[in-house]
Amino acid sequence: MPYIPHTKTCVETMLANIGEQEIDALFDEIPPTLQLSHIEGLPEGQDELDVLRDFAEIANRDPKLICFAGAGSYDHHIPAAVWDVTGRGEFMTSYTPYQGEASQGTLQLLYEYQSMMCALTGQDVSNASVYDGGTALAEAVLMAIRSSPRARRAKRFEVLAASGVHPHYLAAVNTCVSGQGITLRSLAMNDDGVTRQDLPDGEPPIALIVQQPNVFGRLEDVDALSRWAKAHGVMLIAVVNPMSLALLKTPADWGDGGADIVCGDGQPFGVPMASGGPTHGFITCRKSLVRQLPGRIVGRTEDHQGRTGFVLTLQAREQHIRRAKATSNICTNQGLLVTASTLYLSIMGASGIREIAARCHENTRQLTRALCGLGDVERRFAGPVFHEDVIRLPRPASDVSAALARDWGIFAGIPLGSWYPELDDCLLVCATEKRTDSEIEHYRHALREVLGA
Amino acid sequence: MPYIPHTKTCVETMLANIGEQEIDALFDEIPPTLQLSHIEGLPEGQDELDVLRDFAEIANRDPKLICFAGAGSYDHHIPAAVWDVTGRGEFMTSYTPYQGEASQGTLQLLYEYQSMMCALTGQDVSNASVYDGGTALAEAVLMAIRSSPRARRAKRFEVLAASGVHPHYLAAVNTCVSGQGITLRSLAMNDDGVTRQDLPDGEPPIALIVQQPNVFGRLEDVDALSRWAKAHGVMLIAVVNPMSLALLKTPADWGDGGADIVCGDGQPFGVPMASGGPTHGFITCRKSLVRQLPGRIVGRTEDHQGRTGFVLTLQAREQHIRRAKATSNICTNQGLLVTASTLYLSIMGASGIREIAARCHENTRQLTRALCGLGDVERRFAGPVFHEDVIRLPRPASDVSAALARDWGIFAGIPLGSWYPELDDCLLVCATEKRTDSEIEHYRHALREVLGA
Amino acid sequence: MTRTIYDKSKGAREASAQARARDHQLDIPKALLRASSPDLPEVAELTAVRHYTSISQKNFSIDTRFYPLGSCTMKYNPRAAHKVALDPGFLGRHPLAPDEFDQGFLQVRMELEAHLKRLTGMAAVSLTPMAGAQGEFAGLSIMRAYLLSEGQTERDEILVPEAAHGTNPASAAMCGFKVREIPLAASGDIDEEALKAALSERTAGLMLTNPSTCGLFEQRIVEIARAVHEAGGLLYYDGANLNAIVGRVRPADMGFDVIHMNLHKTFATPHGGGGPGAGPIGVVERLKAFLPMPYARYMDDGSIELEGRFEQTTNAHPSSIGRLSAFGGNAGVLIRALAYIRLLGGEGLRRVSSHAVLAAAYVAKRLADAGFELAWPDRRATHEFVISLKKEYKDYGVTALDFSKRLLDYGFHPPTNYFPLLVPECFLIEPTETESLEELDAFVEAMIAIRGEAAKDPTILTNAPHTTPVSRLDEVKAVKTLDLGVHLREAHQS
Amino acid sequence: MTRTIYDKSKGAREASAQARARDHQLDIPKALLRASSPDLPEVAELTAVRHYTSISQKNFSIDTRFYPLGSCTMKYNPRAAHKVALDPGFLGRHPLAPDEFDQGFLQVRMELEAHLKRLTGMAAVSLTPMAGAQGEFAGLSIMRAYLLSEGQTERDEILVPEAAHGTNPASAAMCGFKVREIPLAASGDIDEEALKAALSERTAGLMLTNPSTCGLFEQRIVEIARAVHEAGGLLYYDGANLNAIVGRVRPADMGFDVIHMNLHKTFATPHGGGGPGAGPIGVVERLKAFLPMPYARYMDDGSIELEGRFEQTTNAHPSSIGRLSAFGGNAGVLIRALAYIRLLGGEGLRRVSSHAVLAAAYVAKRLADAGFELAWPDRRATHEFVISLKKEYKDYGVTALDFSKRLLDYGFHPPTNYFPLLVPECFLIEPTETESLEELDAFVEAMIAIRGEAAKDPTILTNAPHTTPVSRLDEVKAVKTLDLGVHLREAHQS
Ligand SMILES: Cc1ncc(COP(=O)(O)O)c(C=O)c1O
Ligand SMILES: Cc1ncc(COP(=O)(O)O)c(C=O)c1O
């Protein structure tokens, strides 16, 4: 019996002990009408060798494309040591560290992860992950609502989003918060691809979401947005690419006191793109908001002999204690990916991620310079970017990118038309540190051919 | 400084402590004329990302061939768990377990490996590996010489090899033993691809080497050969594919008392082909020969509290104690591969390797049946095989196999001409459990096309 | 002794061959740049590897211990399923890749969906939820959307048995529902009278785990389903306990309308110290239009499209509840699940439930024979069961927590304790199908030995654990000092 | 407590999805089949994974500890080099693959050869030896073949310093040479007078490790080489200690004719609990014709051929000493070595020796300052150095072994002890370049603390270790009972 260790004798011993003749008898409390002897359509079991072969075929069925796409998932290099250690059975096959004494490995790692995320984002406290960047933002919005004194009086709440918040993040927020009477409104962007600074008057929203860099890779005037929020008593939620924080100032340093809550996706730190998951969402915040923070939180404490140890703490916020009144329903989170990110950060250090971030920035600039030489191709937005940028093509971007994929093996970027119909001729491009000069040159060459330029 | 953990301050601290200004001063006992400031032609250091990319390209530069070759290296499936555990840092980054108390993991594993190899080969004792099958045979020959009472009187020794011992094994033996006055002579084979039974009269050799299955995959009449050896006071050395021992009787059970020494290559047990190395050679033998056995040997003992533990034992045989009088010069052996084989055997169990061995046997039979249907293609030798066989082609085998590789992506087997000029039209084929029906059919189809049959 | 990676850090080490420093020209306004480097550890690669390798050894895990953590299904997840998911062909895939270049992975989705439909009896399955709780949220959102679409705006109550897992009420609340907890009957089944009394025109639905978190199969599930449906409500099935019935009973046949499954429990994803998981949901026909995005489907030419890869609503799912996360869910977990299903096949999956239940029944029987008190002695154990240590507490003054900590000294991860909340001093014990008889027996013997110790000297238990890297940890102090990171700690100290 | 995998085994478990039993038709005569199944453990995959994961944790290793095992160069081997070698493109390659389909791996060989030539100054390099000792054997065989080819049949003596590694005399003997050991002078260098006295027309050559196993650089190496050459002998360089001079000094420039290198020491292969390694050899021009097979070389069309893939001798190497093993050597180790060289580059390799020596010098100085006795206090430490604990032995009755065992309790793998044999109660300490200053300091502090313990209560040391999974093991009993396997044990007991 694959993976089941019992011999015939073991089974007989167990049954004899229980006083039954056969295993089926153990199911006799289930109404017989519900019991099936066989489920149609399931395959026969296969040997490992066959399964591995078939999956290798599936995994590599599609031609590989050189990736110039970002938009929330980035093709960074992952140091070989990261998953060698992350994949250790002791990390990979344990569960939520309820029993602290038997889980000091996971707990200490999470404590260190929290420290690193605080260092990067400039916040006081961090949780131990939520599902992804999108859910992190949704949870951040719920946190803001719960902790806003103004919200306590209201029944319906408005949350404002700066322009250029990732549309999928906004969609996830919508799904997650609409049941709680929250509406989400986005600000318009100016022609430079950043938020128009004519911010609304009237009843201020509960919270303002600002993404930096925004979905176009553009750098928002975060100081101004932050000052506006403070001036109007609006909670400020920052959505950030954590890699960018190697270069950019922390949301804590944004104008007039900065963000109250910072969130995003940890994927750039040692997590493969892998079709978008698993990755991990992070949330950090001011200490005053810690009791609103969802998910696991690890604290440092002592054992009975006064030795340092780590435990899950503030569990009274959580669903297994608080049930319907919990800060969130999250239970299983994304522990293993946090492990990878912690390894990544400790191997890279501040100098390492700074170098990577700077290379990404320069590679993307090199790319757009190379492409913008071709005929009518140009940067759609002026102004600085981190490591993504939008280029305008003389033809619908989806046609061009389809041709580049099909004929040239290039994933040319994200055609922006389905998110922003007015940007139908635009492509969101990204060249991480992995992209070489010759790959960039290949892109340039291919685009020239495709455009007939 | 990549991989060197010191900051500038660390280096200064160390130098200050030593009382030097700079590191170069530490080399002042080396004649200055010998010291180079720079070595020509070495590359610049590269980031991990670049090295991994370049090597991925190198590793996959050559088109992949479907492997129907064996001849000492076999394309078996390796269960995913084998290297997941073998690759653990604790196994991979430790060294020879001189300090038993700090190496119980490696030592217990080796003890278990020794047990498994004894079970398979029917011998009393096993060592913890030598380099590969070829060196295992060379060491076995030296063991035989050292332990033969007749040899003690002689200065030059003859060792006889049955026909069909792997020519590379014989070559390795030649290299290793020629310095010690040993000559190696091979017996002729009969037209069935096994040893002619008219064994020589006259002064018997010190030892007889018998390979089962032999290099053609053919099964020798090991009982007769063993009986002859015993009758003439000749030490019997068996060379075996350990996978075959899942089906075949152990060399201990060969006629009249069986083999004195059994050796071979552990590659079929969880070790990738990997261009032929690293793999590991094994040697097992009668207990009476244990003091002649080369390499590490692990024994079970007790600690001061009477608890079971494991240590390197009989170290007085070894070079680090015995120096010029040691049983062998071996020091570093192939520990990690032994780890993989131990995992493999414990995951597969006797029933598992029996199943694999039987599948290989049947696949190869299916293959030769399929190929022999084509025109003049036929099995070169009659009689049973384990999982390799020789087919005769109507054209030089190296031409045919080159065409099959180039045009059909098939590694069709080993053309035997460079080893046995008289078998120039023959191909040594092998179909392990990994070869599918459709791959075999593809081979048949391709061969028909190539032969125009 | 316990040093963090920060304690091993030194500024300016730059000991990395990962990214040697180069000169850079940043085109970023100074006002947006950070003034000082983030305070991350600066260690050599060896230091990082050694630090995390060493602390990992402090964990109990399936790879090292028996781990009968009830409700969590801590079983052996074949390494083959893991290996499959690590293929660079999967790992290197961008989530927004063109469909045309994503056919391999999309086939995995389609095939897994098909199998999960078969196993649950549901009409459609969505793979996007990233854990059980997110599956619950998605399922409840669908129920809400459906009821609204039917004009049933007044249905705002979700009924939940009092023994339900905490995520159930939490998800319902997150979805905007009011939660009503329903007591259990003495039998351990839900109190049918109380349930019926609670049903009303405000009932949106009932969430049920079956077998329940008490390790009992709800015997009158068909009648319960009928009652809820008759009252106009929907039935939500929490599939975290699927290991007890997989390949044998289908939630749709019990009458459920929505189900989530924890792939990381029944279907082979190792638990990763707290995830990732995946919580696919299945729904009956009438709820299909509301499934979340994205959603894979066959096109006329036989290729597969990921509907909603970019779009927020689509023609095929105009009433979709929308997107649950940025992309399409935990792909890696989905791949593992399909590999597992292929490894085991239909027969093998059925064996899972057979042997999960056999092991639980056996351990329950042995513990009962040894004098431990089963919470529901007259009921069949399913894949897990509850014992109460209240007698031991009364007799020796030792708690379930003390037992738990002492089990650590015996080399066992303790069962889930104090859950379900209604049984005093309880253990929820789930041995799973992958543990050997020797292991099961050793656990029972340890329980017996520990009780013996309690009788002789309770302090052995109350001071336990004695052999772990740290002894019992002070959770109260943790809450009081709230030392949640190196920086905070340093701020505190200065 | 210590249970082997056999103790966890049960017949007929067949718990594997590796190879489900099928019906088979074996065409093998019954007389050749085995009568009964081999006695292998029959366990489930989980049991095997758990067993070996658990026992692995009992090992000290670089990934968990400082491991200053002299002469073994236990440093951090970048995971990147390891990852490179695990590419399925390399792992799936058959050793007898056609050259045409082996160009990738053959390029690795060519490039590595070229770099090793540059680093050693040798005219040609062979990559086939599978470890240092096999390299020695190969090099000595070449020396023998060369001398024979020159008609020097009477040259049958190899000179070896008395402190040489055991493999040196053992390899020489295996090669059919007589071994003459040469004493050391008080300086720690070889006794030049004794050496000269030993040189004769029977001298085949001198084997030298430089820096020596005493951790000292042979200062008069140029003169020594000249003397040996003038006497008609050849010089063999044991390159196990290359970490001390790599990128800085080339053995060919010292006058050596043959060298082996331990790739698993200097060039990034983890030591695997005892291998694999690789021991490539380099030779000067006049010895090239004798190199072992196989041997990669460029063809006229720029492609690479593995000469001797099948053949036992070739036109290009008619005097080859032949084949050392079945195939072409430890390919995986060669790949790692090249990856390492590419990662570090020339400058990085030079830094290796700089920092290996700096670390050793620092630890030596600190230990000396703390009152430990350096074996050669007036000499520079190279990458390793020797201390003698004979004073501690005299004063407190504790041995180097006791110190070693007590170091385990402090979390350090002990240095090599009792080697070189001529220094009483010695430690050969090799810190390597990859250990942090904190780690080096902690080791020194532990040594000091242990000596303090010895002064107070020697039994702390003589009963050590106290914290390892087993306490001090009885090696005498091991030899006496010779329990070398489960079967033998069972046979004994019955
Ligand atoms: C019964 C039950 N329901 C729901 C959940 C929630 O699932 P998840 O942790 O994947 O969010 C769990 C497990 O954690 C559970 O045991
Ligand atoms: C000085 C010295 N020479 C030779 C050897 C032999 O090398 P190997 O163990 O690789 O055979 C070693 C190491 O073990 C050594 O330290």
Side-chain angles (χ1 to χ4, degrees), chain D residues 159-224:
Chain D
L159 311 181
V160 176
E162 58 178 343
H165 193 267
T167 52
N168 295 8
S171 298
M174 200 164 163
C175 216
F177 286 115
K178 291 191 178 54
V179 176
R180 272 183 78 161
E181 302 215 338
I182 310 293
L184 293 194
S187 68
D189 284 343
I190 199 165
D191 182 331
E192 222 174 307
E193 291 318 302
L195 171 65
K196 285 185 177 150
L199 289 170
S200 75
E201 64 294 337
R202 291 191 56 185
T203 302
L206 169 69
M207 292 183 89
L208 220 55
T209 315
N210 195 16
S212 71
T213 53
C214 304
L216 303 173
F217 192 91
E218 207 54 76
Q219 299 174 87
R220 292 185 40 87
I221 181 61
V222 176
E223 292 75 10
I224 290 169

Side-chain angles (χ1 to χ4, degrees), chain B residues 61 101 112 301 333 362, chain D residues 25 52 107 274 405 474 483:
Chain B
R61 175 168 308 166
E101 298 83 359
E112 293 173 8
T301 185
N333 49 46
E362 284 190 341
Chain D
Q25 302 245 315
Y52 291 108
Q107 186 201 325
K405 299 305 183 193
D474 188 342
D483 173 354

Side-chain angles (χ1 to χ4, degrees), chain C residues 84 99 131 134 261 368:
Chain C
V84 153
D99 286 335
Q134 209 188 31
M261 291 151 272

Side-chain angles (χ1 to χ4, degrees), chain C residues 59-82:
Chain C
N59 272 1
F60 279 38
S61 64
I62 283 296
D63 275 12
T64 53
R65 316 285 179 143
F66 181 45
Y67 206 128
L69 195 66
S71 204
C72 296
T73 312
M74 298 297 287
K75 63 185 186 182
Y76 179 64
N77 299 128
R79 280 300 205 284
H82 180 57

Side-chain angles (χ1 to χ4, degrees), chain A residues 406-429:
Chain A
R406 204 181 321 107
D407 303 331
W408 297 89
I410 293 172
F411 185 7
I414 309 295
L416 288 173
S418 32
W419 289 341
Y420 307 96
E422 71 279 17
L423 298 180
D424 198 42
D425 55 356
C426 289
L427 211 48
L428 175 64
V429 299

Side-chain angles (χ1 to χ4, degrees), chain D residues 48-131:
Chain D
V49 168
R50 187 178 288 167
H51 177 75
Y52 291 108
T53 299
S54 299
I55 69 171
S56 81
Q57 292 184 345
K58 298 182 179 179
N59 273 0
F60 280 37
S61 65
I62 283 295
D63 274 13
T64 52
R65 315 287 178 140
F66 181 45
Y67 206 127
L69 196 66
S71 203
C72 296
T73 312
M74 298 297 288
K75 63 184 186 181
Y76 178 64
N77 300 128
R79 280 300 205 284
H82 180 58
K83 178 163 187 174
V84 153
L86 297 187
D87 192 303
F90 286 131
L91 293 182
R93 223 167 263 258
H94 193 282
L96 301 176
D99 286 335
E100 223 184 309
F101 292 84
D102 201 18
Q103 293 297 303
F105 172 59
L106 291 179
Q107 186 201 325
V108 171
R109 292 187 77 117
M110 294 305 294
E111 197 181 322
L112 178 61
E113 269 182 42
H115 291 323
L116 295 180
K117 282 193 277 186
R118 293 179 185 117
L119 286 165
T120 58
M122 293 290 166
V125 159
S126 162
L127 300 173
T128 69
M130 285 178 153

Side-chain angles (χ1 to χ4, degrees), chain B residues 275-287:
Chain B
S275 297
T279 165
H280 63 96
F282 63 87
I283 311 182
T284 62
C285 65
R286 299 185 191 284
K287 194 161 180 200

Side-chain angles (χ1 to χ4, degrees), chain B residues 95 131 329-332, chain D residues 71-72 131-134 136 165 167-168 209 213 238 240-241 260 262 264-265:
Chain B
Y95 205 15
Y131 306 125
N329 68 339
I330 197 168
C331 175
T332 295
Chain D
S71 203
C72 296
Q134 209 188 31
E136 294 170 19
H165 193 267
T167 52
N168 295 8
T209 315
T213 53
D238 172 343
N241 289 349
H260 86 259
N262 292 55
H264 47 302
K265 295 183 177 177

